[in-house]
């Protein structure tokens, strides 16, 4: 990409993004509630049974040029995205249930919808998983690969990817598996060589999600992470992502409570309203809730959920407003609610002269209904990134932070959590790779 000055305005000349010809293979790790809701949803849309609500790639538009030009194409017509008709799904799970059985168990979609889709959903059967209960205490996997060490397991996943590649034109891997225990990077994550030695030695710092990610990236396949697990958030795997031109992005789908947080907190900060406390609690009764009931998996989720407020409020810049904010997060497993999560936020704010006020948010959401379109968009955009000469070898795709509770960034950069900055960044990236002018919202030209 080069930029040139034209009449005082910067105009970009894009290098060509390859078209999305042929089939896009989507390999999903973990065929649980989110994954089956995404797969069933894509099939329902393909058959004209429903609309892809919540998916920016399918329903969103993008403004090009000046407001007076009225050029607002659909995003999917502006950038070369794979069509839903061209997506082929497969995946891995620690249980043998096919996608129909797993979706029926998750109880997100109603029986009538599932019955209509059953013949298709039944055809998608999981491959045996890489799993170790040490990393997810509440699950007992039965459909699991055996290997002499973690290297052997990685090779088996690589063989699965290579076999699938023969049947499609391009592949993306997405983790929709469970939340693993909290792990921090160790020496084994410092370089590709150290990581590969760690695979040979079955180092405990390498969790199953990292084995899948390593396998995907080694094969030049983009990898998305829907959970808060460490996974590709290490020097070793970022290096591999760049080396193999296999894009990665941050982690943990931004769906319910954090989605709301990253909308409300920027509004308070924009108006210089102070924050004294933010108490967030949740009840949910799906398998994800059961896994998060284990303190070690909860810790991984908690870290992911906690980050956003600190980065948005920047207490070091605004000590009078946010220095003492008390932020607490609770998740309680409550089986009667299934996937229909309920989240409460009590927000203590203060205004002019320090006078206190309160806001209560009660979000009765459907977890997987919110997550499924995000998973779909991440897959489609990572496939786009892989076809973009400018994006494919940069490793982290920060422009996809829009979808994630824990955005990943280059070393030394703070993550951007504000949903509207994230949205602008995403759309400007699309404009940029397609050679369109960026939109700054300055708008002085209308008053010349
Ligand atoms: N639903 C949401 O709104 C939301 C939001 C953000 C993040 N997430 C995360 O997305 C992930 C999936 O959520 P869900 O509600 O679908 O959970 P789920 O429990 O219904 O599904 C997870 C699936 O992963 C499988 N699995 C676990 N470990 C595996 C492994 N090593 N290999 C292959 N399969 C494995 C499980 O058997 C299960 O089928 C969770 O980590 C969750 O925290 C969900």
């Amino acid at each position: 990409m080069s930029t040139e000055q034209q009449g005082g305005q910067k105009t970009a000349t894009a290098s060509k993004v390859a078209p999305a010809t042929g089939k896009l293979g989507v390999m999903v790790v973990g065929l649980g509630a989110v994954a089956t809701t995404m797969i069933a949803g894509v099939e329902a849309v393909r058959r004209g049974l429903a609309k892809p609500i919540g998916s920016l790639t399918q329903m969103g538009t993008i403004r090009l040029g000046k407001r007076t030009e009225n050029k607002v194409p659909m995003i999917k017509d502006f950038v070369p995205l794979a069509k839903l008709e061209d997506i082929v799904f497969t995946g891995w799970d620690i249980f043998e249930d096919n996608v129909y059985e797993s979706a029926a168990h998750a109880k997100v979609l109603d029986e009538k919808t599932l019955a209509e889709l059953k013949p298709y959903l039944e055809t998608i059967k999981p491959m045996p998983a890489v799993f170790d209960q040490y990393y997810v205490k509440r699950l007992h996997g039965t459909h699991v690969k055996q290997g002499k060490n973690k290297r052997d397991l990685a090779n088996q996943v690589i063989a699965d990817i290579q076999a699938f590649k023969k049947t499609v034109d391009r592949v993306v891997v997405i983790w929709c598996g469970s939340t693993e225990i909290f792990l921090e990077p160790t020496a084994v994550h410092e370089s590709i060589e150290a990581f590969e030695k760690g695979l040979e030695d079955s180092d405990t710092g390498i969790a199953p999600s990292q084995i899948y990610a390593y396998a995907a990236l080694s094969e030049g396949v983009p990898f998305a992470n829907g959970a808060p697990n460490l996974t590709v958030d290490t020097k070793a795997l970022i290096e591999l992502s760049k080396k193999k031109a296999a894009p990665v992005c941050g982690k943990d789908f931004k769906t319910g409570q954090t989605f709301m947080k990253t909308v409300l907190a920027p509004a308070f900060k924009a108006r210089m309203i102070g924050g004294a406390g933010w108490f967030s609690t949740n009840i949910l009764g799906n398998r994800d809730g059961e896994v998060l009931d284990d303190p070690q998996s909860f810790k991984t989720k908690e870290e992911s959920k906690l980050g956003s407020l600190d980065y948005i409020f920047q207490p070091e810049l605004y000590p009078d407003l946010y220095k003492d904010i008390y932020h607490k997060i609770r998740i309680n497993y409550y089986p009667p609610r299934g996937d229909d999560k309920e989240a409460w936020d009590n927000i203590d704010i203060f205004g002019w002269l320090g006078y206190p006020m309160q806001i209560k948010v009660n979000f009765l959401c459907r977890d997987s209904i919110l997550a499924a379109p995000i998973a779909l968009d991440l897959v489609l955009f990572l496939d786009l990134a892989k076809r973009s000469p400018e994006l494919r070898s940069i490793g982290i795709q920060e422009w996809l932070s829009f979808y994630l509770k824990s955005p990943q960034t280059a070393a030394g950069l703070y993550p951007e959590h504000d949903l509207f900055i994230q949205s602008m960044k995403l759309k400007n990236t699309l404009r940029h790779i397609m050679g369109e002018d960026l939109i700054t919202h300055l708008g002085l030209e209308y008053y010349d």
Side-chain angles (χ1 to χ4, degrees):
M1 157 80 59
S2 66
T3 51
E4 45 194 72
Q5 290 294 122
Q6 264 189 14
Q9 226 197 352
K10 272 198 173 165
T11 309
T13 326
S15 39
K16 196 109 181 73
V17 180
T21 33
K23 297 282 178 206
L24 172 63
V26 178
M27 305 186 84
V28 189
V29 193
L31 293 167
V34 173
T36 58
T37 307
M38 165 178 69
I39 296 170
V42 166
E43 181 63 4
V45 173
R46 290 198 283 222
R47 293 202 197 171
L49 302 173
K51 297 269 183 227
I53 315 278
S55 161
L56 184 70
T57 61
Q58 303 307 302
M59 308 217 56
T61 60
I62 183 163
R63 181 187 128 202
L64 304 175
K66 294 198 173 125
R67 268 183 275 167
T68 44
E69 289 176 44
N70 283 327
K71 253 186 7 193
V72 193
M74 299 288 288
I75 288 175
K76 64 180 180 180
D77 297 331
F78 172 58
V79 289
L81 290 181
K83 295 195 174 17
L84 297 192
E85 290 67 30
D86 291 331
I87 294 181
V88 181
F89 289 106
T90 185
W92 298 268
D93 205 286
I94 65 170
F95 301 114
E96 269 181 86
D97 294 356
N98 64 46
V99 168
Y100 172 76
E101 290 162 338
S102 177
H105 175 263
K107 292 194 174 63
V108 177
L109 301 175
D110 60 55
E111 283 174 19
K112 183 172 165 286
T113 307
L114 283 182
E116 269 183 276
L117 303 171
K118 186 174 177 186
Y120 168 73
L121 298 179
E122 275 180 335
T123 62
I124 308 169
K125 302 185 174 93
M127 295 177 274
V130 176
F131 181 73
D132 180 342
Q133 207 189 2
Y134 173 75
Y135 300 94
V136 186
K137 308 283 187 219
R138 295 286 156 98
L139 295 182
H140 305 269
T142 49
H143 187 51
V144 173
K145 292 186 196 307
Q146 304 300 325
K148 70 175 180 355
N149 58 15
K150 291 183 178 176
R151 169 89 250 177
D152 185 7
L153 294 169
N155 287 345
Q156 292 180 45
V157 178
I158 289 174
D160 291 344
I161 297 173
Q162 287 173 343
F164 188 53
K165 268 183 170 174
K166 293 197 180 110
T167 67
V168 292
D169 297 272
R170 302 176 313 284
V171 174
V172 172
V173 172
I174 181 165
W175 175 275
C176 291
S178 307
T179 300
E180 296 172 332
I181 58 170
F182 184 66
L183 292 175
E184 283 180 298
T186 61
V188 84
H189 302 106
E190 279 295 300
S191 66
I192 300 175
E193 295 70 36
F195 190 87
E196 288 177 340
K197 172 144 193 326
L199 286 174
E200 294 289 345
D201 301 342
S202 292
D203 191 292
T204 46
I206 301 180
S209 66
Q210 297 173 37
I211 296 178
Y212 288 100
Y214 171 82
L217 301 180
S218 302
E219 282 297 298
V221 166
F223 183 93
N225 183 10
N229 308 334
L230 182 66
T231 320
V232 295
D233 202 357
T234 65
K235 279 191 193 162
L237 292 190
I238 293 168
E239 193 185 326
L240 189 61
S241 155
K242 289 184 184 168
K243 188 171 156 197
K244 297 287 184 174
V248 295
C249 54
K251 47 193 185 180
D252 207 3
F253 302 129
K254 176 151 87 171
T255 48
Q257 196 166 55
T258 310
F259 168 50
M260 288 294 141
K261 236 172 223 179
T262 61
V263 171
L264 291 174
F268 303 144
K269 192 177 92 175
R271 288 283 172 89
M272 294 289 111
I273 303 280
W278 200 310
F279 182 79
S280 303
T281 187
N282 299 269
I283 51 172
L284 80 162
N286 56 14
R287 192 182 281 150
D288 186 29
E290 193 178 349
V291 167
L292 295 175
D293 209 33
D294 169 60
Q296 294 189 63
S297 287
F298 172 69
K299 165 93 173 135
T300 310
K301 192 58 122 183
E302 187 188 27
E303 289 288 320
S304 176
K305 280 174 146 281
L306 275 173
S308 58
L309 277 196
D310 225 29
Y311 284 114
I312 292 172
F313 284 145
Q314 298 175 294
E316 67 292 350
L317 285 184
Y318 304 101
D320 291 337
L321 299 176
Y322 306 116
K323 183 170 59 66
D324 297 322
I325 189 162
Y326 185 86
H327 188 197
K328 193 83 194 162
I329 292 164
R330 289 264 175 268
I331 300 178
N332 295 293
Y333 178 51
Y334 180 63
R337 284 294 172 89
D339 202 66
D340 297 350
K341 183 161 87 178
E342 182 159 1
W344 292 267
D345 285 89
N346 170 74
I347 314 162
D348 284 291
I349 58 174
F350 53 90
W352 187 239
L353 311 181
Y355 278 73
M357 294 170 265
Q358 285 185 9
I359 298 178
K360 313 276 179 190
V361 181
N362 183 196
F363 191 6
L364 287 91
C365 67
R366 293 174 191 266
D367 236 12
S368 303
I369 293 293
L370 292 169
I374 293 182
L376 171 67
D377 282 4
L378 282 173
V379 162
L380 294 179
F381 277 144
L382 281 177
D383 172 51
L384 174 78
K386 172 78 187 175
R387 283 179 285 109
S388 158
E390 277 189 277
L391 299 179
R392 73 166 69 107
S393 298
I394 62 170
I396 301 164
Q397 307 293 312
E398 204 193 321
W399 58 286
L400 295 176
S401 301
F402 176 66
Y403 294 108
L404 301 158
K405 279 200 211 45
S406 294
Q408 248 177 278
T409 55
L413 282 184
Y414 69 82
E416 189 51 74
H417 282 274
D418 178 328
L419 189 85
F420 296 102
I421 296 179
Q422 292 174 333
S423 157
M424 208 188 304
K425 195 180 183 72
L426 185 154
K427 289 193 172 181
N428 268 338
T429 305
L430 298 181
R431 292 181 186 108
H432 175 77
I433 62 168
M434 298 308 287
E436 285 286 333
D437 289 346
L438 305 188
I439 289 187
T440 62
H441 301 285
L442 180 63
L444 287 180
E445 67 271 26
Y446 302 115
Y447 299 90
D448 276 352

